[in-house]
PDB file of all heavy atoms in Angstrom:
ATOM      1  N   GLU A1499      57.286 241.952 -99.567  1.00 98.00           N
ATOM      2  CA  GLU A1499      58.474 241.911 -98.705  1.00 98.00           C
ATOM      3  C   GLU A1499      58.160 241.221 -97.382  1.00 98.00           C
ATOM      4  O   GLU A1499      58.958 240.412 -96.870  1.00 98.00           O
ATOM      5  CB  GLU A1499      58.978 243.330 -98.427  1.00 98.00           C
ATOM      6  CG  GLU A1499      59.665 244.014 -99.592  1.00 98.00           C
ATOM      7  CD  GLU A1499      60.220 245.379 -99.192  1.00 98.00           C
ATOM      8  OE1 GLU A1499      60.995 245.435 -98.213  1.00 98.00           O
ATOM      9  OE2 GLU A1499      59.845 246.379 -99.832  1.00 98.00           O
ATOM     10  N   ILE A1500      56.999 241.559 -96.814  1.00 98.00           N
ATOM     11  CA  ILE A1500      56.601 240.958 -95.538  1.00 98.00           C
ATOM     12  C   ILE A1500      56.425 239.449 -95.683  1.00 98.00           C
ATOM     13  O   ILE A1500      56.892 238.666 -94.850  1.00 98.00           O
ATOM     14  CB  ILE A1500      55.297 241.603 -95.019  1.00 98.00           C
ATOM     15  CG1 ILE A1500      55.552 243.056 -94.610  1.00 98.00           C
ATOM     16  CG2 ILE A1500      54.736 240.808 -93.837  1.00 98.00           C
ATOM     17  CD1 ILE A1500      54.303 243.814 -94.205  1.00 98.00           C
ATOM     18  N   GLU A1501      55.773 239.039 -96.770  1.00 98.00           N
ATOM     19  CA  GLU A1501      55.550 237.604 -96.980  1.00 98.00           C
ATOM     20  C   GLU A1501      56.875 236.861 -97.107  1.00 98.00           C
ATOM     21  O   GLU A1501      57.065 235.785 -96.504  1.00 98.00           O
ATOM     22  CB  GLU A1501      54.699 237.385 -98.223  1.00 98.00           C
ATOM     23  CG  GLU A1501      54.342 235.920 -98.431  1.00 98.00           C
ATOM     24  CD  GLU A1501      53.416 235.718 -99.612  1.00 98.00           C
ATOM     25  OE1 GLU A1501      53.418 236.555-100.538  1.00 98.00           O
ATOM     26  OE2 GLU A1501      52.701 234.699 -99.613  1.00 98.00           O
ATOM     27  N   GLN A1502      57.801 237.420 -97.871  1.00 98.00           N
ATOM     28  CA  GLN A1502      59.116 236.793 -98.036  1.00 98.00           C
ATOM     29  C   GLN A1502      59.851 236.726 -96.703  1.00 98.00           C
ATOM     30  O   GLN A1502      60.496 235.719 -96.375  1.00 98.00           O
ATOM     31  CB  GLN A1502      59.942 237.570 -99.064  1.00 98.00           C
ATOM     32  CG  GLN A1502      59.411 237.470-100.479  1.00 98.00           C
ATOM     33  CD  GLN A1502      60.098 238.424-101.440  1.00 98.00           C
ATOM     34  OE1 GLN A1502      61.165 238.970-101.148  1.00 98.00           O
ATOM     35  NE2 GLN A1502      59.489 238.646-102.599  1.00 98.00           N
ATOM     36  N   TRP A1503      59.736 237.802 -95.915  1.00 98.00           N
ATOM     37  CA  TRP A1503      60.391 237.837 -94.602  1.00 98.00           C
ATOM     38  C   TRP A1503      59.808 236.754 -93.685  1.00 98.00           C
ATOM     39  O   TRP A1503      60.549 236.043 -93.006  1.00 98.00           O
ATOM     40  CB  TRP A1503      60.219 239.207 -93.963  1.00 98.00           C
ATOM     41  CG  TRP A1503      60.966 239.370 -92.671  1.00 98.00           C
ATOM     42  CD1 TRP A1503      62.217 239.898 -92.492  1.00 98.00           C
ATOM     43  CD2 TRP A1503      60.511 238.982 -91.358  1.00 98.00           C
ATOM     44  NE1 TRP A1503      62.573 239.856 -91.168  1.00 98.00           N
ATOM     45  CE2 TRP A1503      61.548 239.295 -90.447  1.00 98.00           C
ATOM     46  CE3 TRP A1503      59.346 238.401 -90.873  1.00 98.00           C
ATOM     47  CZ2 TRP A1503      61.442 239.056 -89.076  1.00 98.00           C
ATOM     48  CZ3 TRP A1503      59.232 238.143 -89.511  1.00 98.00           C
ATOM     49  CH2 TRP A1503      60.267 238.473 -88.625  1.00 98.00           C
ATOM     50  N   LEU A1504      58.499 236.631 -93.682  1.00 98.00           N
ATOM     51  CA  LEU A1504      57.840 235.642 -92.823  1.00 98.00           C
ATOM     52  C   LEU A1504      58.277 234.220 -93.175  1.00 98.00           C
ATOM     53  O   LEU A1504      58.603 233.419 -92.291  1.00 98.00           O
ATOM     54  CB  LEU A1504      56.320 235.765 -92.953  1.00 98.00           C
ATOM     55  CG  LEU A1504      55.666 237.028 -92.388  1.00 98.00           C
ATOM     56  CD1 LEU A1504      54.203 237.099 -92.811  1.00 98.00           C
ATOM     57  CD2 LEU A1504      55.785 237.089 -90.872  1.00 98.00           C
ATOM     58  N   ILE A1505      58.290 233.920 -94.462  1.00 98.00           N
ATOM     59  CA  ILE A1505      58.640 232.565 -94.899  1.00 98.00           C
ATOM     60  C   ILE A1505      60.109 232.261 -94.591  1.00 98.00           C
ATOM     61  O   ILE A1505      60.434 231.189 -94.065  1.00 98.00           O
ATOM     62  CB  ILE A1505      58.357 232.410 -96.407  1.00 98.00           C
ATOM     63  CG1 ILE A1505      56.842 232.501 -96.661  1.00 98.00           C
ATOM     64  CG2 ILE A1505      58.902 231.080 -96.922  1.00 98.00           C
ATOM     65  CD1 ILE A1505      56.462 232.559 -98.125  1.00 98.00           C
ATOM     66  N   LYS A1506      60.986 233.210 -94.908  1.00 97.00           N
ATOM     67  CA  LYS A1506      62.419 233.007 -94.678  1.00 97.00           C
ATOM     68  C   LYS A1506      62.730 232.889 -93.188  1.00 97.00           C
ATOM     69  O   LYS A1506      63.452 231.977 -92.761  1.00 97.00           O
ATOM     70  CB  LYS A1506      63.217 234.168 -95.281  1.00 97.00           C
ATOM     71  CG  LYS A1506      64.721 234.085 -95.054  1.00 97.00           C
ATOM     72  CD  LYS A1506      65.421 235.247 -95.734  1.00 97.00           C
ATOM     73  CE  LYS A1506      66.930 235.152 -95.523  1.00 97.00           C
ATOM     74  NZ  LYS A1506      67.318 235.291 -94.107  1.00 97.00           N
ATOM     75  N   THR A1507      62.183 233.804 -92.393  1.00 98.00           N
ATOM     76  CA  THR A1507      62.487 233.822 -90.963  1.00 98.00           C
ATOM     77  C   THR A1507      61.888 232.608 -90.265  1.00 98.00           C
ATOM     78  O   THR A1507      62.452 232.113 -89.277  1.00 98.00           O
ATOM     79  CB  THR A1507      61.959 235.119 -90.322  1.00 98.00           C
ATOM     80  OG1 THR A1507      62.462 236.247 -91.055  1.00 98.00           O
ATOM     81  CG2 THR A1507      62.418 235.246 -88.879  1.00 98.00           C
ATOM     82  N   ARG A1508      60.776 232.128 -90.763  1.00 97.00           N
ATOM     83  CA  ARG A1508      60.169 230.938 -90.158  1.00 97.00           C
ATOM     84  C   ARG A1508      61.097 229.737 -90.260  1.00 97.00           C
ATOM     85  O   ARG A1508      61.227 228.950 -89.312  1.00 97.00           O
ATOM     86  CB  ARG A1508      58.827 230.615 -90.812  1.00 97.00           C
ATOM     87  CG  ARG A1508      58.051 229.523 -90.092  1.00 97.00           C
ATOM     88  CD  ARG A1508      56.752 229.180 -90.797  1.00 97.00           C
ATOM     89  NE  ARG A1508      55.927 228.322 -89.954  1.00 97.00           N
ATOM     90  CZ  ARG A1508      56.110 227.009 -89.812  1.00 97.00           C
ATOM     91  NH1 ARG A1508      57.106 226.406 -90.468  1.00 97.00           N
ATOM     92  NH2 ARG A1508      55.318 226.301 -89.026  1.00 97.00           N
ATOM     93  N   THR A1509      61.733 229.585 -91.410  1.00 96.00           N
ATOM     94  CA  THR A1509      62.644 228.445 -91.588  1.00 96.00           C
ATOM     95  C   THR A1509      63.857 228.540 -90.671  1.00 96.00           C
ATOM     96  O   THR A1509      64.482 227.523 -90.348  1.00 96.00           O
ATOM     97  CB  THR A1509      63.134 228.358 -93.044  1.00 96.00           C
ATOM     98  OG1 THR A1509      63.886 229.534 -93.370  1.00 96.00           O
ATOM     99  CG2 THR A1509      61.964 228.237 -94.009  1.00 96.00           C
ATOM    100  N   GLU A1510      64.183 229.760 -90.236  1.00 95.00           N
ATOM    101  CA  GLU A1510      65.347 229.965 -89.373  1.00 95.00           C
ATOM    102  C   GLU A1510      64.987 229.982 -87.892  1.00 95.00           C
ATOM    103  O   GLU A1510      65.867 230.001 -87.037  1.00 95.00           O
ATOM    104  CB  GLU A1510      66.025 231.297 -89.738  1.00 95.00           C
ATOM    105  CG  GLU A1510      66.502 231.349 -91.196  1.00 95.00           C
ATOM    106  CD  GLU A1510      66.921 232.742 -91.615  1.00 95.00           C
ATOM    107  OE1 GLU A1510      66.664 233.690 -90.822  1.00 95.00           O
ATOM    108  OE2 GLU A1510      67.482 232.893 -92.712  1.00 95.00           O
ATOM    109  N   SER A1511      63.686 229.985 -87.586  1.00 95.00           N
ATOM    110  CA  SER A1511      63.250 230.090 -86.191  1.00 95.00           C
ATOM    111  C   SER A1511      63.136 228.715 -85.546  1.00 95.00           C
ATOM    112  O   SER A1511      62.991 227.693 -86.222  1.00 95.00           O
ATOM    113  CB  SER A1511      61.900 230.807 -86.107  1.00 95.00           C
ATOM    114  OG  SER A1511      60.889 230.036 -86.733  1.00 95.00           O
ATOM    115  N   ARG A1512      63.181 228.715 -84.249  1.00 95.00           N
ATOM    116  CA  ARG A1512      63.083 227.469 -83.499  1.00 95.00           C
ATOM    117  C   ARG A1512      61.617 227.064 -83.351  1.00 95.00           C
ATOM    118  O   ARG A1512      60.760 227.884 -83.082  1.00 95.00           O
ATOM    119  CB  ARG A1512      63.731 227.648 -82.131  1.00 95.00           C
ATOM    120  CG  ARG A1512      63.706 226.425 -81.236  1.00 95.00           C
ATOM    121  CD  ARG A1512      64.554 226.659 -79.992  1.00 95.00           C
ATOM    122  NE  ARG A1512      64.186 227.888 -79.314  1.00 95.00           N
ATOM    123  CZ  ARG A1512      63.192 227.978 -78.437  1.00 95.00           C
ATOM    124  NH1 ARG A1512      62.458 226.919 -78.159  1.00 95.00           N
ATOM    125  NH2 ARG A1512      62.929 229.129 -77.843  1.00 95.00           N
ATOM    126  N   GLU A1513      61.360 225.796 -83.527  1.00 94.00           N
ATOM    127  CA  GLU A1513      59.993 225.291 -83.385  1.00 94.00           C
ATOM    128  C   GLU A1513      59.481 225.542 -81.964  1.00 94.00           C
ATOM    129  O   GLU A1513      60.224 225.417 -80.992  1.00 94.00           O
ATOM    130  CB  GLU A1513      59.968 223.793 -83.674  1.00 94.00           C
ATOM    131  CG  GLU A1513      58.568 223.214 -83.768  1.00 94.00           C
ATOM    132  CD  GLU A1513      58.574 221.755 -84.182  1.00 94.00           C
ATOM    133  OE1 GLU A1513      59.651 221.238 -84.528  1.00 94.00           O
ATOM    134  OE2 GLU A1513      57.491 221.144 -84.129  1.00 94.00           O
ATOM    135  N   SER A1514      58.224 225.913 -81.855  1.00 92.00           N
ATOM    136  CA  SER A1514      57.562 226.215 -80.576  1.00 92.00           C
ATOM    137  C   SER A1514      58.092 227.490 -79.913  1.00 92.00           C
ATOM    138  O   SER A1514      57.775 227.768 -78.754  1.00 92.00           O
ATOM    139  CB  SER A1514      57.707 225.041 -79.590  1.00 92.00           C
ATOM    140  OG  SER A1514      57.143 223.870 -80.133  1.00 92.00           O
ATOM    141  N   SER A1515      58.880 228.281 -80.626  1.00 97.00           N
ATOM    142  CA  SER A1515      59.382 229.538 -80.067  1.00 97.00           C
ATOM    143  C   SER A1515      58.341 230.631 -80.203  1.00 97.00           C
ATOM    144  O   SER A1515      57.380 230.522 -80.984  1.00 97.00           O
ATOM    145  CB  SER A1515      60.660 229.966 -80.791  1.00 97.00           C
ATOM    146  OG  SER A1515      60.384 230.275 -82.147  1.00 97.00           O
ATOM    147  N   GLY A1516      58.524 231.710 -79.467  1.00 97.00           N
ATOM    148  CA  GLY A1516      57.618 232.847 -79.570  1.00 97.00           C
ATOM    149  C   GLY A1516      57.648 233.464 -80.947  1.00 97.00           C
ATOM    150  O   GLY A1516      56.616 233.918 -81.464  1.00 97.00           O
ATOM    151  N   LEU A1517      58.826 233.479 -81.569  1.00 98.00           N
ATOM    152  CA  LEU A1517      58.953 234.047 -82.914  1.00 98.00           C
ATOM    153  C   LEU A1517      58.191 233.198 -83.920  1.00 98.00           C
ATOM    154  O   LEU A1517      57.481 233.730 -84.777  1.00 98.00           O
ATOM    155  CB  LEU A1517      60.427 234.143 -83.303  1.00 98.00           C
ATOM    156  CG  LEU A1517      60.723 234.753 -84.673  1.00 98.00           C
ATOM    157  CD1 LEU A1517      60.181 236.176 -84.760  1.00 98.00           C
ATOM    158  CD2 LEU A1517      62.226 234.734 -84.956  1.00 98.00           C
ATOM    159  N   ARG A1518      58.333 231.887 -83.826  1.00 98.00           N
ATOM    160  CA  ARG A1518      57.611 230.990 -84.738  1.00 98.00           C
ATOM    161  C   ARG A1518      56.098 231.173 -84.574  1.00 98.00           C
ATOM    162  O   ARG A1518      55.346 231.204 -85.553  1.00 98.00           O
ATOM    163  CB  ARG A1518      58.005 229.536 -84.456  1.00 98.00           C
ATOM    164  CG  ARG A1518      57.230 228.480 -85.240  1.00 98.00           C
ATOM    165  CD  ARG A1518      57.608 228.444 -86.713  1.00 98.00           C
ATOM    166  NE  ARG A1518      58.962 227.958 -86.900  1.00 98.00           N
ATOM    167  CZ  ARG A1518      59.300 226.677 -87.060  1.00 98.00           C
ATOM    168  NH1 ARG A1518      58.363 225.741 -87.029  1.00 98.00           N
ATOM    169  NH2 ARG A1518      60.554 226.327 -87.264  1.00 98.00           N
ATOM    170  N   SER A1519      55.645 231.331 -83.353  1.00 97.00           N
ATOM    171  CA  SER A1519      54.218 231.510 -83.088  1.00 97.00           C
ATOM    172  C   SER A1519      53.703 232.809 -83.706  1.00 97.00           C
ATOM    173  O   SER A1519      52.612 232.835 -84.297  1.00 97.00           O
ATOM    174  CB  SER A1519      53.973 231.523 -81.577  1.00 97.00           C
ATOM    175  OG  SER A1519      52.614 231.758 -81.294  1.00 97.00           O
ATOM    176  N   ALA A1520      54.471 233.894 -83.585  1.00 98.00           N
ATOM    177  CA  ALA A1520      54.065 235.184 -84.151  1.00 98.00           C
ATOM    178  C   ALA A1520      53.996 235.114 -85.671  1.00 98.00           C
ATOM    179  O   ALA A1520      53.074 235.656 -86.300  1.00 98.00           O
ATOM    180  CB  ALA A1520      55.038 236.273 -83.712  1.00 98.00           C
ATOM    181  N   ILE A1521      54.974 234.447 -86.266  1.00 98.00           N
ATOM    182  CA  ILE A1521      54.998 234.301 -87.720  1.00 98.00           C
ATOM    183  C   ILE A1521      53.811 233.459 -88.188  1.00 98.00           C
ATOM    184  O   ILE A1521      53.135 233.797 -89.164  1.00 98.00           O
ATOM    185  CB  ILE A1521      56.329 233.661 -88.169  1.00 98.00           C
ATOM    186  CG1 ILE A1521      57.484 234.641 -87.942  1.00 98.00           C
ATOM    187  CG2 ILE A1521      56.269 233.244 -89.634  1.00 98.00           C
ATOM    188  CD1 ILE A1521      58.855 234.043 -88.159  1.00 98.00           C
ATOM    189  N   ASP A1522      53.549 232.369 -87.480  1.00 98.00           N
ATOM    190  CA  ASP A1522      52.436 231.490 -87.862  1.00 98.00           C
ATOM    191  C   ASP A1522      51.089 232.191 -87.747  1.00 98.00           C
ATOM    192  O   ASP A1522      50.156 231.894 -88.506  1.00 98.00           O
ATOM    193  CB  ASP A1522      52.444 230.231 -86.998  1.00 98.00           C
ATOM    194  CG  ASP A1522      53.539 229.248 -87.416  1.00 98.00           C
ATOM    195  OD1 ASP A1522      54.119 229.442 -88.512  1.00 98.00           O
ATOM    196  OD2 ASP A1522      53.828 228.314 -86.647  1.00 98.00           O
ATOM    197  N   TYR A1523      50.979 233.111 -86.797  1.00 97.00           N
ATOM    198  CA  TYR A1523      49.745 233.896 -86.677  1.00 97.00           C
ATOM    199  C   TYR A1523      49.511 234.665 -87.983  1.00 97.00           C
ATOM    200  O   TYR A1523      48.399 234.656 -88.534  1.00 97.00           O
ATOM    201  CB  TYR A1523      49.852 234.868 -85.503  1.00 97.00           C
ATOM    202  CG  TYR A1523      48.651 235.780 -85.337  1.00 97.00           C
ATOM    203  CD1 TYR A1523      47.607 235.454 -84.481  1.00 97.00           C
ATOM    204  CD2 TYR A1523      48.562 236.980 -86.050  1.00 97.00           C
ATOM    205  CE1 TYR A1523      46.509 236.292 -84.334  1.00 97.00           C
ATOM    206  CE2 TYR A1523      47.464 237.817 -85.914  1.00 97.00           C
ATOM    207  CZ  TYR A1523      46.442 237.475 -85.050  1.00 97.00           C
ATOM    208  OH  TYR A1523      45.358 238.305 -84.927  1.00 97.00           O
ATOM    209  N   CYS A1524      50.533 235.326 -88.468  1.00 98.00           N
ATOM    210  CA  CYS A1524      50.400 236.118 -89.701  1.00 98.00           C
ATOM    211  C   CYS A1524      50.100 235.239 -90.911  1.00 98.00           C
ATOM    212  O   CYS A1524      49.246 235.571 -91.740  1.00 98.00           O
ATOM    213  CB  CYS A1524      51.678 236.913 -89.950  1.00 98.00           C
ATOM    214  SG  CYS A1524      52.008 238.183 -88.713  1.00 98.00           S
ATOM    215  N   LEU A1525      50.787 234.126 -91.026  1.00 98.00           N
ATOM    216  CA  LEU A1525      50.579 233.234 -92.159  1.00 98.00           C
ATOM    217  C   LEU A1525      49.190 232.594 -92.114  1.00 98.00           C
ATOM    218  O   LEU A1525      48.554 232.390 -93.156  1.00 98.00           O
ATOM    219  CB  LEU A1525      51.658 232.166 -92.185  1.00 98.00           C
ATOM    220  CG  LEU A1525      53.084 232.671 -92.468  1.00 98.00           C
ATOM    221  CD1 LEU A1525      54.084 231.531 -92.365  1.00 98.00           C
ATOM    222  CD2 LEU A1525      53.164 233.337 -93.845  1.00 98.00           C
ATOM    223  N   LYS A1526      48.721 232.297 -90.928  1.00 97.00           N
ATOM    224  CA  LYS A1526      47.387 231.703 -90.774  1.00 97.00           C
ATOM    225  C   LYS A1526      46.301 232.641 -91.294  1.00 97.00           C
ATOM    226  O   LYS A1526      45.324 232.198 -91.925  1.00 97.00           O
ATOM    227  CB  LYS A1526      47.133 231.373 -89.303  1.00 97.00           C
ATOM    228  CG  LYS A1526      45.750 230.807 -89.026  1.00 97.00           C
ATOM    229  CD  LYS A1526      45.565 230.512 -87.540  1.00 97.00           C
ATOM    230  CE  LYS A1526      44.174 229.960 -87.250  1.00 97.00           C
ATOM    231  NZ  LYS A1526      43.974 229.671 -85.803  1.00 97.00           N
ATOM    232  N   PHE A1527      46.472 233.938 -91.029  1.00 97.00           N
ATOM    233  CA  PHE A1527      45.453 234.918 -91.434  1.00 97.00           C
ATOM    234  C   PHE A1527      45.891 235.744 -92.640  1.00 97.00           C
ATOM    235  O   PHE A1527      45.383 236.845 -92.858  1.00 97.00           O
ATOM    236  CB  PHE A1527      45.135 235.838 -90.251  1.00 97.00           C
ATOM    237  CG  PHE A1527      44.571 235.124 -89.056  1.00 97.00           C
ATOM    238  CD1 PHE A1527      45.265 235.078 -87.859  1.00 97.00           C
ATOM    239  CD2 PHE A1527      43.352 234.476 -89.137  1.00 97.00           C
ATOM    240  CE1 PHE A1527      44.757 234.405 -86.759  1.00 97.00           C
ATOM    241  CE2 PHE A1527      42.820 233.800 -88.050  1.00 97.00           C
ATOM    242  CZ  PHE A1527      43.529 233.762 -86.856  1.00 97.00           C
ATOM    243  N   TRP A1528      46.823 235.216 -93.428  1.00 97.00           N
ATOM    244  CA  TRP A1528      47.407 235.977 -94.530  1.00 97.00           C
ATOM    245  C   TRP A1528      46.357 236.445 -95.541  1.00 97.00           C
ATOM    246  O   TRP A1528      46.402 237.584 -96.018  1.00 97.00           O
ATOM    247  CB  TRP A1528      48.486 235.153 -95.227  1.00 97.00           C
ATOM    248  CG  TRP A1528      49.285 235.954 -96.208  1.00 97.00           C
ATOM    249  CD1 TRP A1528      49.299 235.833 -97.567  1.00 97.00           C
ATOM    250  CD2 TRP A1528      50.178 237.024 -95.893  1.00 97.00           C
ATOM    251  NE1 TRP A1528      50.151 236.763 -98.123  1.00 97.00           N
ATOM    252  CE2 TRP A1528      50.704 237.506 -97.109  1.00 97.00           C
ATOM    253  CE3 TRP A1528      50.581 237.619 -94.689  1.00 97.00           C
ATOM    254  CZ2 TRP A1528      51.616 238.556 -97.164  1.00 97.00           C
ATOM    255  CZ3 TRP A1528      51.489 238.676 -94.742  1.00 97.00           C
ATOM    256  CH2 TRP A1528      51.990 239.125 -95.979  1.00 97.00           C
ATOM    257  N   THR A1529      45.416 235.588 -95.864  1.00 96.00           N
ATOM    258  CA  THR A1529      44.370 235.981 -96.821  1.00 96.00           C
ATOM    259  C   THR A1529      43.605 237.200 -96.316  1.00 96.00           C
ATOM    260  O   THR A1529      43.361 238.159 -97.056  1.00 96.00           O
ATOM    261  CB  THR A1529      43.403 234.817 -97.070  1.00 96.00           C
ATOM    262  OG1 THR A1529      44.119 233.715 -97.622  1.00 96.00           O
ATOM    263  CG2 THR A1529      42.295 235.237 -98.038  1.00 96.00           C
ATOM    264  N   GLY A1530      43.224 237.157 -95.039  1.00 96.00           N
ATOM    265  CA  GLY A1530      42.491 238.284 -94.458  1.00 96.00           C
ATOM    266  C   GLY A1530      43.345 239.525 -94.303  1.00 96.00           C
ATOM    267  O   GLY A1530      42.858 240.657 -94.445  1.00 96.00           O
ATOM    268  N   LEU A1531      44.630 239.343 -94.047  1.00 98.00           N
ATOM    269  CA  LEU A1531      45.533 240.485 -93.871  1.00 98.00           C
ATOM    270  C   LEU A1531      45.803 241.211 -95.185  1.00 98.00           C
ATOM    271  O   LEU A1531      46.184 242.388 -95.178  1.00 98.00           O
ATOM    272  CB  LEU A1531      46.857 240.018 -93.269  1.00 98.00           C
ATOM    273  CG  LEU A1531      46.837 239.649 -91.780  1.00 98.00           C
ATOM    274  CD1 LEU A1531      48.135 238.964 -91.374  1.00 98.00           C
ATOM    275  CD2 LEU A1531      46.618 240.898 -90.922  1.00 98.00           C
ATOM    276  N   THR A1532      45.622 240.536 -96.297  1.00 98.00           N
ATOM    277  CA  THR A1532      45.929 241.148 -97.597  1.00 98.00           C
ATOM    278  C   THR A1532      44.686 241.560 -98.385  1.00 98.00           C
ATOM    279  O   THR A1532      44.801 242.073 -99.497  1.00 98.00           O
ATOM    280  CB  THR A1532      46.772 240.190 -98.453  1.00 98.00           C
ATOM    281  OG1 THR A1532      46.099 238.928 -98.569  1.00 98.00           O
ATOM    282  CG2 THR A1532      48.127 239.948 -97.805  1.00 98.00           C
ATOM    283  N   LYS A1533      43.501 241.352 -97.814  1.00 97.00           N
ATOM    284  CA  LYS A1533      42.258 241.736 -98.508  1.00 97.00           C
ATOM    285  C   LYS A1533      42.204 243.241 -98.789  1.00 97.00           C
ATOM    286  O   LYS A1533      41.576 243.682 -99.754  1.00 97.00           O
ATOM    287  CB  LYS A1533      41.050 241.341 -97.647  1.00 97.00           C
ATOM    288  CG  LYS A1533      40.714 239.861 -97.659  1.00 97.00           C
ATOM    289  CD  LYS A1533      39.965 239.472 -98.911  1.00 97.00           C
ATOM    290  CE  LYS A1533      39.667 237.977 -98.949  1.00 97.00           C
ATOM    291  NZ  LYS A1533      38.696 237.567 -97.943  1.00 97.00           N
ATOM    292  N   PHE A1534      42.853 244.037 -97.962  1.00 97.00           N
ATOM    293  CA  PHE A1534      42.789 245.495 -98.116  1.00 97.00           C
ATOM    294  C   PHE A1534      43.372 245.972 -99.436  1.00 97.00           C
ATOM    295  O   PHE A1534      43.034 247.053 -99.924  1.00 97.00           O
ATOM    296  CB  PHE A1534      43.515 246.184 -96.952  1.00 97.00           C
ATOM    297  CG  PHE A1534      45.011 246.193 -97.064  1.00 97.00           C
ATOM    298  CD1 PHE A1534      45.666 247.304 -97.574  1.00 97.00           C
ATOM    299  CD2 PHE A1534      45.764 245.094 -96.663  1.00 97.00           C
ATOM    300  CE1 PHE A1534      47.050 247.319 -97.683  1.00 97.00           C
ATOM    301  CE2 PHE A1534      47.140 245.107 -96.758  1.00 97.00           C
ATOM    302  CZ  PHE A1534      47.791 246.212 -97.278  1.00 97.00           C
TER     303      PHE A1534
END
């Protein structure tokens, strides 16, 4: 659910916005975030 939310919301967010930056942080470290 989180992954789908991140991908969907990213497409709706403004480039260089704080929201886009927060989403990109999660996607950048997605492999490490899901190792658990």
